Amino acid sequence: MGRDPGFARYFLVSGTYGTNGYRNAAPEERQRLVGIEIGVHFSEVRHGLGVPEKALWGGILYLFFDSIRLPYAAIGVRYDLNHHQWFGPTASGRTSFPQAGSR
């Protein structure tokens, strides 16, 4: 964008979509969730710390963090399209899925 992002370079913003309960819950308990998350950009953190990509250990770190999403490294809000209800803040896509018969 032609500007220095400053401290914001260490964060990622993402749109999300997920479902809960479609495999084994009653139709009225199912959730379709859309949302937005802000998480840690581990590749940029490593770069900022000066981890050498050419060294074996640095290359392994880059490969790992570029391939795997760490749980609870993002926080966001979600909207349940089926029940018109907001959830948040939530960590890494987790929502309070209702127990059978609780609605």
Side-chain angles (χ1 to χ4, degrees), residues 16-96:
T16 65
Y17 175 79
T19 61
N20 283 334
Y22 276 83
R23 182 171 292 175
N24 55 12
E28 62 273 2
E29 301 293 326
R30 296 175 182 168
Q31 296 175 319
R32 292 178 302 139
L33 302 155
V34 294
I36 189 167
E37 286 184 339
I38 298 175
V40 179
H41 188 334
F42 287 105
S43 293
E44 195 61 38
V45 170
R46 284 187 319 272
H47 181 69
L49 292 173
V51 174
E53 191 171 357
K54 302 246 184 224
L56 177 63
W57 67 275
I60 291 170
L61 284 177
Y62 276 92
L63 179 64
F64 177 79
F65 286 112
D66 287 343
S67 303
I68 304 296
R69 179 177 176 188
L70 295 178
Y72 306 105
I75 191 164
V77 293
R78 280 151 189 75
Y79 182 73
D80 183 348
L81 296 169
N82 292 357
H83 300 101
H84 309 291
Q85 188 175 5
W86 282 97
F87 292 92
T90 60
S92 294
R94 299 289 160 218
T95 61
S96 55

